[in-house]
Amino acid sequence: MEKLTDVELIGVQVQDVRPRSFSDGAAGIISAEENVQTEHGVVHVAIQGERQKPVMITYHDIGQNNVSGFGGFFSFGSMQPLLRHFCIYHVNAPGQEENAAQFPENYVYPTMDQLADMLVSVCSHFGIKRFVGFGVGAGANILSRFAIAHHEKVEALVLINGVAKPAGWTEWGYQKVSNWYLKGKGMTEFSEDYLLWHHFGKETLERNHDLVTVFHNSLIKQNPFNLALFCDSWIRRTDLGVWRQTDPEKKKTAKQLKCPVLEVTGSSSPHVDDTVDMNSRLDPANANWLKLSDCGGLVLDEQPGKVCEALVLFLQGMGFGKLALSLEKDFLHSRPMS
């Protein structure tokens, strides 16, 4: 039997652990950032990947920007093969990017339709002819509006917690109070609590304290006045006006999302019912609805592996041909052995 040697503990050195952040690993994969002038204001766009490759445009939710909305997800190991096959353009709603200057008191923020219209200038600026849209919450709604108006430019949509209908009275009331605080007092406890619930739901707030802390730290980096303006536009949104048509003749002229759509939500997301409503309006031949178990509203950070796998399968189903097969091969090689 091997003889054990006693070791004397001489001292203990304590070091502060750097808090986790959505920007961990994200800054290194952003290849360029540009401000694009549009008819309705300036949008900040962060770019990942080689510009000659197929395009994916992302759009974040309220209380987010490209870093907090997509930085963690696109830094996830299994997402790296996708980044080798796409160029990602992360669009920030006006004034929502990190360290954004505060808008003047009399600034008129774009409506949801105008925010969607701004993407026309983004596509023109970067020479984008067609793209896959990837949106969360308010961003999903904005990309949907663009796809309805400019269906020839959209290959497909991936919608996280997508909403098609206007704000209800409860949402409107909470948002109005939150916005009043954001404009007058900054990021107060009331606004923080509401935005945390909006993104996580009750269950995740109670069980995933680490992720909640990371998101909370990202919230306080946003300009509260600018955020209030974005939230105002969100709660004033109009109905998308899309409805499922079974009559073949009416279907030809009906207002509808004509591209393939993948809707994703979490089983305990506060927005499950909204996604069910939206899915019921879409053409079942083009729409796929996915609810992830053990997951709240922030599905890209709570279940990135499942979302990534669903995304690869969705791209395959779209008929991306060699791109989809190559992406699947890279994805399978990137998965850890069990």
Side-chain angles (χ1 to χ4, degrees), residues 31-315:
S31 57
E33 297 186 54
E34 294 186 31
N35 289 323
V36 179
Q37 182 67 51
T38 77
E39 182 182 350
H40 306 292
V42 177
V43 289
H44 184 81
V45 182
I47 306 165
Q48 287 180 243
E50 301 172 16
R51 300 195 188 191
Q52 71 273 20
K53 294 186 176 178
V55 173
M56 181 177 290
I57 291 181
T58 72
Y59 214 120
H60 58 85
D61 197 2
I62 59 171
Q64 292 182 321
N65 49 45
N66 72 283
V67 176
S68 57
F70 299 97
F73 181 66
F74 281 99
S75 298
F76 184 65
S78 294
M79 281 301 297
Q80 301 318 299
L82 186 139
L83 292 176
R84 290 196 287 271
H85 294 282
F86 279 89
C87 183
I88 318 294
Y89 292 80
H90 299 290
V91 178
N92 290 275
Q96 307 306 305
E97 68 272 15
E98 289 189 340
N99 304 313
Q102 182 167 311
F103 289 127
E105 291 283 341
N106 60 348
Y107 181 80
V108 179
Y109 204 83
T111 64
M112 295 297 287
D113 285 322
Q114 289 171 338
L115 288 169
D117 190 54
M118 293 168 86
L119 293 175
V120 175
S121 297
V122 172
C123 289
S124 175
H125 179 84
F126 293 108
I128 298 171
K129 295 181 179 179
R130 289 177 66 82
F131 66 87
V132 175
F134 193 159
V136 180
N141 188 276
I142 291 166
L143 286 170
S144 296
R145 291 173 189 274
F146 180 86
I148 292 168
H150 306 279
H151 62 87
E152 73 283 354
K153 288 185 174 295
V154 183
E155 295 267 12
L157 288 175
V158 179
L159 308 177
I160 311 297
N161 295 322
V163 181
K165 59 187 179 183
W169 284 108
T170 301
E171 179 188 1
W172 187 89
Y174 273 102
Q175 287 270 27
K176 289 298 286 185
V177 175
S178 174
N179 292 348
W180 182 80
Y181 280 122
L182 287 170
K183 289 179 180 178
K185 299 184 179 181
M187 186 63 72
T188 63
E189 184 177 356
F190 182 92
S191 296
E192 286 181 7
D193 288 346
Y194 176 75
L195 289 167
L196 288 172
W197 172 85
H198 171 86
H199 286 284
F200 290 103
K202 185 178 178 181
E203 288 188 24
T204 304
L205 281 174
E206 293 176 348
R207 68 173 184 240
N208 198 334
H209 299 291
D210 183 40
L211 182 57
V212 171
T213 299
V214 173
F215 188 83
H216 172 268
N217 292 338
S218 74
L219 266 182
I220 60 179
K221 293 180 181 179
Q222 286 200 262
N223 185 290
F225 183 83
N226 294 357
L227 174 56
L229 296 180
F230 185 27
C231 291
D232 271 336
S233 289
W234 174 234
I235 60 172
R236 295 174 188 273
R237 66 186 182 272
T238 56
D239 195 286
L240 285 183
V242 295
W243 300 98
R244 181 176 295 178
Q245 287 288 350
T246 55
D247 187 305
E249 291 303 316
K250 291 182 179 179
K251 191 175 181 179
K252 293 177 182 178
T253 57
K255 188 178 182 181
Q256 188 56 265
L257 289 172
K258 298 182 180 180
C259 63
V261 179
L262 173 63
E263 285 194 89
V264 184
T265 190
S267 57
S268 59
S269 167
H271 313 291
V272 171
D273 291 342
D274 289 326
T275 66
V276 172
D277 169 74
M278 185 167 184
N279 186 64
S280 71
R281 300 172 177 223
L282 303 182
D283 185 347
N286 293 334
N288 299 274
W289 182 78
L290 175 64
K291 182 170 72 173
L292 300 177
S293 59
D294 301 319
C295 185
L298 209 68
V299 297
L300 298 184
D301 296 284
E302 294 182 63
Q303 295 285 4
K306 291 181 180 178
V307 177
C308 182
E309 190 165 2
L311 185 57
V312 171
L313 294 173
F314 177 62
L315 292 173

